[in-house]
Short mmCIF file of all heavy atoms in Angstrom, two decimals:
data_model
loop_
_atom_site.label_atom_id
_atom_site.label_comp_id
_atom_site.label_asym_id
_atom_site.label_seq_id
_atom_site.Cartn_x
_atom_site.Cartn_y
_atom_site.Cartn_z
N ALA A 317 1.37 -3.57 -18.61
CA ALA A 317 1.10 -4.98 -18.33
C ALA A 317 -0.20 -5.43 -18.98
O ALA A 317 -0.28 -6.53 -19.55
CB ALA A 317 1.04 -5.20 -16.82
N VAL A 318 -1.21 -4.58 -18.92
CA VAL A 318 -2.50 -4.92 -19.53
C VAL A 318 -2.36 -5.05 -21.04
O VAL A 318 -2.87 -6.00 -21.65
CB VAL A 318 -3.56 -3.86 -19.17
CG1 VAL A 318 -4.81 -4.05 -20.01
CG2 VAL A 318 -3.90 -3.93 -17.68
N CYS A 319 -1.67 -4.11 -21.65
CA CYS A 319 -1.56 -4.10 -23.11
C CYS A 319 -0.59 -5.16 -23.63
O CYS A 319 -0.80 -5.72 -24.71
CB CYS A 319 -1.10 -2.72 -23.59
SG CYS A 319 -2.32 -1.41 -23.28
N GLN A 320 0.47 -5.47 -22.87
CA GLN A 320 1.46 -6.45 -23.31
C GLN A 320 1.10 -7.87 -22.89
O GLN A 320 1.54 -8.83 -23.53
CB GLN A 320 2.83 -6.11 -22.73
CG GLN A 320 3.41 -4.79 -23.22
CD GLN A 320 3.68 -4.80 -24.71
OE1 GLN A 320 4.22 -5.75 -25.25
NE2 GLN A 320 3.26 -3.74 -25.38
N GLY A 321 0.33 -8.00 -21.84
CA GLY A 321 0.09 -9.32 -21.28
C GLY A 321 -1.07 -10.09 -21.88
O GLY A 321 -1.27 -11.25 -21.55
N ASN A 322 -1.85 -9.46 -22.77
CA ASN A 322 -3.01 -10.13 -23.34
C ASN A 322 -3.84 -10.78 -22.23
O ASN A 322 -4.06 -11.99 -22.20
CB ASN A 322 -2.59 -11.20 -24.35
CG ASN A 322 -1.87 -10.60 -25.54
OD1 ASN A 322 -2.23 -9.52 -26.00
ND2 ASN A 322 -0.86 -11.30 -26.04
N ILE A 323 -4.29 -9.99 -21.30
CA ILE A 323 -4.93 -10.50 -20.10
C ILE A 323 -6.21 -11.24 -20.42
O ILE A 323 -6.87 -11.00 -21.43
CB ILE A 323 -5.23 -9.37 -19.10
CG1 ILE A 323 -6.23 -8.38 -19.68
CG2 ILE A 323 -3.97 -8.69 -18.64
CD1 ILE A 323 -6.84 -7.49 -18.66
N SER A 324 -6.57 -12.13 -19.52
CA SER A 324 -7.79 -12.91 -19.69
C SER A 324 -9.02 -12.02 -19.60
O SER A 324 -9.05 -11.04 -18.84
CB SER A 324 -7.85 -13.99 -18.60
OG SER A 324 -9.12 -14.59 -18.56
N GLU A 325 -10.05 -12.36 -20.38
CA GLU A 325 -11.30 -11.59 -20.34
C GLU A 325 -11.96 -11.65 -18.97
O GLU A 325 -12.77 -10.79 -18.63
CB GLU A 325 -12.26 -12.11 -21.41
CG GLU A 325 -11.84 -11.79 -22.83
CD GLU A 325 -12.90 -12.15 -23.86
OE1 GLU A 325 -14.00 -12.57 -23.43
OE2 GLU A 325 -12.64 -12.00 -25.06
N VAL A 326 -11.59 -12.67 -18.17
CA VAL A 326 -12.15 -12.79 -16.82
C VAL A 326 -11.85 -11.55 -15.99
O VAL A 326 -12.65 -11.14 -15.16
CB VAL A 326 -11.57 -14.05 -16.14
CG1 VAL A 326 -11.97 -14.10 -14.66
CG2 VAL A 326 -12.02 -15.31 -16.85
N HIS A 327 -10.70 -10.93 -16.25
CA HIS A 327 -10.26 -9.78 -15.46
C HIS A 327 -10.54 -8.44 -16.14
O HIS A 327 -10.23 -7.40 -15.57
CB HIS A 327 -8.76 -9.89 -15.18
CG HIS A 327 -8.36 -11.18 -14.53
ND1 HIS A 327 -9.02 -11.71 -13.44
CD2 HIS A 327 -7.37 -12.07 -14.84
CE1 HIS A 327 -8.46 -12.86 -13.10
NE2 HIS A 327 -7.47 -13.09 -13.93
N LEU A 328 -11.12 -8.47 -17.32
CA LEU A 328 -11.25 -7.24 -18.09
C LEU A 328 -12.17 -6.22 -17.42
O LEU A 328 -11.89 -5.01 -17.44
CB LEU A 328 -11.77 -7.55 -19.50
CG LEU A 328 -11.77 -6.40 -20.49
CD1 LEU A 328 -10.38 -5.80 -20.64
CD2 LEU A 328 -12.29 -6.85 -21.85
N SER A 329 -13.26 -6.67 -16.81
CA SER A 329 -14.20 -5.72 -16.19
C SER A 329 -13.54 -4.95 -15.05
O SER A 329 -13.76 -3.75 -14.89
CB SER A 329 -15.45 -6.46 -15.68
OG SER A 329 -15.09 -7.41 -14.68
N GLN A 330 -12.68 -5.63 -14.27
CA GLN A 330 -11.97 -4.96 -13.18
C GLN A 330 -10.99 -3.93 -13.72
O GLN A 330 -10.85 -2.83 -13.20
CB GLN A 330 -11.21 -5.99 -12.34
CG GLN A 330 -10.45 -5.42 -11.17
CD GLN A 330 -11.35 -4.99 -10.02
OE1 GLN A 330 -12.02 -5.84 -9.43
NE2 GLN A 330 -11.39 -3.71 -9.71
N VAL A 331 -10.33 -4.29 -14.82
CA VAL A 331 -9.37 -3.38 -15.45
C VAL A 331 -10.08 -2.14 -15.98
O VAL A 331 -9.63 -1.00 -15.79
CB VAL A 331 -8.63 -4.10 -16.59
CG1 VAL A 331 -7.85 -3.10 -17.45
CG2 VAL A 331 -7.68 -5.16 -16.02
#
Side-chain angles (χ1 to χ4, degrees):
V318 169
C319 294
Q320 296 296 315
N322 297 322
I323 64 164
S324 168
E325 290 188 4
V326 172
H327 305 312
L328 189 57
S329 62
Q330 181 74 64
V331 168

